[in-house]
Amino acid sequence: MASATEDPVLERYFKGHKAAITSLDFSPNGKQLATASWDTFLMLWNFKPHARAYRYVGHKDVVTSVQFSPHGNLLASASRDRTVRLWIPDKRGKFSEFKAHTAPVRSVDFSADGQFLATASEDKSIKVWSMYRQRFLYSLYRHTHWVRCAKFSPDGRLIVSCSEDKTIKIWDTTNKQCVNNFSDSVGFANFVDFNPSGTCIASAGSDQTVKVWDVRVNKLLQHYQVHSGGVNCISFHPSGNYLITASSDGTLKILDLLEGRLIYTLQGHTGPVFTVSFSKGGELFASGGADTQVLLWRTNFDELPYKGLNKRNLKRLHFDSPPHLLDIYPRTPHPHEEKVETVEINPKLEVIDLQISTPPVVDILSFDSTTTTETSGRTLPDKGEEACGYFLNPSLLSPECSPTTTKKKTEDMSDLPCESQRSIPLAVTDALEHIMEQLNVLTQNCPECR
């Protein structure tokens, strides 16, 4: 059992979003945090005292995913408005818009070298984009239902994806083929990711489970049943020894993967928790959910043991190496019950300096809001509309979530690209995109067409 000095502590919380937090990511240098929300905005929080927060305006619907590029010079976002955007994470906020998906986009993920971006969508596809050329490269089609998440392996050779078709698929980025398939008869995975060494994947299940597979031997290694609600997100500690989970039961849980047990249950959110992420160095983690708050925690883990383990592991880790006990232990699947002794942390949400937690917010407009009525009026999803997946029950929307209207600020937009494509009716662009996708599939499958 970890000592009290190693227990995670709540450091700060940030308030600024008007609706549920769907996704968050730390900058590579650990000095900023980007968050995405149902309020259609991205926000960029700086950890310096009294620093301003930036709110990026541009998406026309729920922002579902956000991620920094490996160098920290770009911020990618996905939205239910069917677009993916690239932002410069500063007060300029210039962006590129990628529009090839024909349904809401659920996740974005940069490859470790920053050269590629993978996007997952409710159009049942995963798409891969070139960051250098700023263009679409190829689609991966095999899922038969909405794709909720797609992630690159650390070496970029593989992509893992999860779908509401109850499968998790592994794709080879070289030959664009599905090379592995994990299926579940009970629920589907809301989120999936590789561990830092790329030897295992973990999934966050709608059936309240967390599962860990070894992708080299296609074996289920661990099966945790520690939540009483659907698991919405997971994040590996950089050591690979810990996994943190976020659940609709309102808690975060930290699993010790080497010992195969639950070690912490973290309270603090007042509703479903939708997203959680460790910082790149592992010393911090952040969480967000339906209560619109972003909580920033310090891990306080003892770093020496995992650094020693990593040095030993590096000597033998490569893609084809046989399984090893130090990868993840124990090697046989076994359920875990809540009865296991754990540390439960329920911090008081009283931060001494509230000015730091609720900084002044600067709106960064990314388009001319007078172009069309479609872009000038920004509304949240209809309260009667059924929420997409786990993101939010509309009844949980804050009363503050009234439709907002952005005002034109010409000084912020003088050198930003205009979106002339918005003058084309959406139905026409959707039809054209669908035709192009079908042609793409036909040419891929027809040797004479190449």
Side-chain angles (χ1 to χ4, degrees), residues 150-371:
K151 296 278 187 178
F152 282 102
S153 61
D155 62 7
R157 292 172 56 182
L158 302 172
I159 290 174
V160 63
S161 61
C162 61
S163 165
E164 292 194 17
D165 63 13
K166 298 185 179 181
T167 68
I168 293 172
K169 296 186 186 297
I170 308 287
W171 310 81
D172 187 318
T173 58
T174 304
N175 61 23
K176 322 294 188 295
Q177 297 297 312
C178 178
V179 294
N180 213 333
N181 192 77
F182 301 100
S183 60
D184 198 323
S185 58
V186 181
F188 55 83
N190 286 314
F191 192 94
V192 67
D193 201 3
F194 283 92
N195 69 341
S197 67
T199 58
C200 299
I201 58 169
S203 66
S206 65
D207 60 355
Q208 309 178 6
T209 66
V210 175
K211 295 178 181 177
V212 182
W213 283 273
D214 188 316
V215 298
R216 300 162 299 182
V217 293
N218 304 333
K219 184 178 180 182
L220 178 64
L221 298 179
Q222 294 184 340
H223 179 188
Y224 294 90
Q225 295 172 311
V226 293
H227 282 290
S228 59
V231 187
N232 300 319
C233 189
I234 48 105
S235 179
F236 279 99
H237 187 267
S239 66
N241 295 346
Y242 304 101
L243 186 72
I244 191 165
T245 63
S247 169
S248 291
D249 65 14
T251 68
L252 303 166
K253 292 184 185 279
I254 298 178
L255 307 172
D256 184 325
L257 299 178
L258 292 182
E259 295 189 11
R261 66 186 180 96
L262 170 67
I263 54 174
Y264 291 110
T265 296
L266 306 177
Q267 308 284 347
H269 286 284
T270 57
V273 191
F274 296 136
T275 181
V276 66
S277 180
F278 277 109
S279 63
K280 306 306 184 246
E283 66 281 357
L284 297 170
F285 63 93
S287 57
D291 59 8
T292 77
Q293 295 185 121
V294 178
L295 305 188
L296 182 67
W297 309 75
R298 184 164 294 279
T299 57
N300 293 331
F301 293 150
D302 182 358
E303 295 182 0
L304 293 177
Y306 90 71
K307 286 184 176 176
L309 278 175
N310 282 355
K311 285 181 181 178
R312 281 184 284 167
N313 290 355
L314 283 174
K315 296 177 181 178
R316 60 176 177 74
L317 274 182
H318 59 87
F319 184 74
D320 297 318
S321 61
H324 191 282
L325 285 178
L326 284 179
D327 288 339
I328 201 159
Y329 178 85
R331 300 203 65 79
T332 55
H334 59 288
H336 295 248
E337 303 295 338
E338 286 279 9
K339 298 173 186 175
V340 176
E341 183 186 1
T342 66
V343 176
E344 186 156 331
I345 298 173
N346 192 350
K348 292 181 179 179
L349 293 181
E350 295 176 3
V351 180
I352 296 172
D353 187 352
L354 291 177
Q355 282 301 110
I356 297 178
S357 300
T358 311
V361 175
V362 179
D363 276 2
I364 309 296
L365 304 187
S366 65
F367 58 85
D368 186 337
S369 60
T370 61
T371 305

Side-chain angles (χ1 to χ4, degrees), residues 420-431:
S420 57
Q421 69 269 27
R422 287 210 171 102
S423 61
I424 303 172
L426 188 60
V428 175
T429 58
D430 284 352

Side-chain angles (χ1 to χ4, degrees), residues 100-116:
H101 285 292
T102 57
V105 189
R106 296 301 294 260
S107 81
V108 289
D109 187 61
F110 284 99
S111 59
D113 58 9
Q115 292 188 36
F116 304 100

